[in-house]
Amino acid sequence: DVKVTQSSRYLVKRTGEKVFLECVQDMDHENMFWYRQDPGLGLRLIYFSYDVKMKEKGDIPEGYSVSREKKERFSLILESASTNQTSMYLCASMGAVGTEAFFGQGTRLTVV
Amino acid sequence: SQKIEQNSEALNIQEGKTATLTCNYTNYSPAYLQWYRQDPGRGPVFLLLIRENEKEKRKERLKVTFDTTLKQSLFHITASQPADSATYLCALDDNYGQNFVFGPGTRLSVLP
């Protein structure tokens, strides 16, 4: 059974903290994505990676960075968390472009 | 600017009827389009993929059409059931093929 696992289901952090969201996939997929999902705004792409150590900005990269040191792991970093980064964060992986994407269960992050 | 729109934020239909959801896009030239189902508090789950050279795809009670001239995809659920109640998202690749972006989703409620 294919799997994308996000490190936390729920997370509460303080303003200004550095936050790490981890995502691991076991399908040997090249492509991995980080999205945030907010009511009325849908899924918005933050960053994606098509290979180890490669990263590309999505639509809303400001305030975020990513790391992909190993093929199976894609980390999202909030350098200095702010309340407007309170959201549901979703990680996805995809094999070849044009095939289905597999999502993790999501991390609901609250910044107080 | 690039845009993906789904016909309505919410759609209510009676059990047994056919639900039709619409996805329209602007300033994209996708090679494929996908449909996902998302239940509350969970990540999206892949349903169907249709390529630009395909007019129609079916899977059990689901049917997807893709009209690249109209820049539109229609998603049909026949003989709908209350268990089909969820948010349905369309997604397509951007013009560079390595990335894919989502529409805002339509929340479908099938009433018994």
Side-chain angles (χ1 to χ4, degrees):
Chain A
D1 196 21
V2 297
K3 205 172 263 187
V4 177
T5 303
Q6 294 183 227
S7 50
S8 304
R9 194 74 198 267
Y10 300 95
L11 212 51
V12 179
K13 294 292 181 181
R14 296 198 178 277
T15 302
E17 275 193 81
K18 190 168 186 176
V19 181
F20 293 86
L21 302 182
E22 306 285 346
C23 176
V24 177
Q25 50 98 359
D26 64 1
M27 295 162 282
D28 201 36
H29 282 169
E30 293 85 5
N31 301 288
M32 295 187 75
F33 306 83
W34 274 107
Y35 295 88
R36 64 177 282 178
Q37 188 171 34
D38 302 285
L41 295 175
L43 275 161
R44 292 181 292 166
L45 181 66
I46 305 171
Y47 268 97
F48 66 99
S49 168
Y50 54 89
D51 203 351
V52 175
K53 297 193 187 295
M54 305 304 288
K55 60 185 179 185
E56 295 286 342
K57 292 179 180 179
D59 297 320
I60 51 163
E62 297 79 18
Y64 303 94
S65 62
V66 290
S67 172
R68 190 149 180 220
E69 296 296 318
K70 293 185 178 181
K71 192 175 186 180
E72 67 269 19
R73 187 181 296 270
F74 191 34
S75 303
L76 180 70
I77 303 149
L78 285 65
E79 298 291 341
S80 176
S82 64
T83 54
N84 64 11
Q85 292 179 310
T86 291
S87 186
M88 169 71 97
Y89 289 87
L90 287 157
C91 171
S93 75
M94 179 189 281
V97 170
T99 59
E100 69 178 279
F102 295 86
F103 280 83
Q105 77 277 26
T107 296
R108 187 164 291 285
L109 172 68
T110 302
V111 182
V112 297
Chain B
S1 63
Q2 294 176 315
K3 199 163 48 173
I4 306 172
E5 294 175 306
Q6 294 189 238
N7 54 328
S8 55
E9 193 173 325
L11 182 65
N12 296 330
I13 63 164
Q14 212 63 40
E15 183 176 4
K17 301 288 187 187
T18 296
T20 298
L21 284 62
T22 304
C23 177
N24 294 291
Y25 58 91
T26 308
N27 292 328
Y28 286 102
S29 298
Y32 63 89
L33 191 143
Q34 302 184 10
W35 284 88
Y36 289 77
R37 169 186 172 135
Q38 186 175 24
D39 292 291
R42 296 187 167 272
V45 174
F46 172 81
L47 295 174
L48 279 170
L49 179 151
I50 187 164
R51 301 190 186 281
E52 60 177 337
N53 59 350
E54 297 174 315
K55 294 284 187 206
E56 183 179 298
K57 210 78 170 281
R58 290 175 185 262
K59 180 182 175 183
E60 298 171 354
R61 295 184 296 111
L62 308 180
K63 185 178 86 169
V64 173
T65 62
F66 192 10
D67 189 326
T68 55
T69 303
L70 291 178
K71 296 186 183 297
Q72 181 182 79
S73 174
L74 299 179
F75 176 78
H76 306 272
I77 306 175
T78 57
S80 59
Q81 305 165 0
D84 295 326
S85 298
T87 296
Y88 291 85
L89 304 159
C90 66
L92 50 83
D93 64 314
D94 73 5
N95 297 335
Y96 301 98
Q98 286 185 317
N99 173 16
F100 76 122
V101 291
F102 283 81
T106 295
R107 189 173 66 251
L108 174 68
S109 297
V110 181
L111 309 172

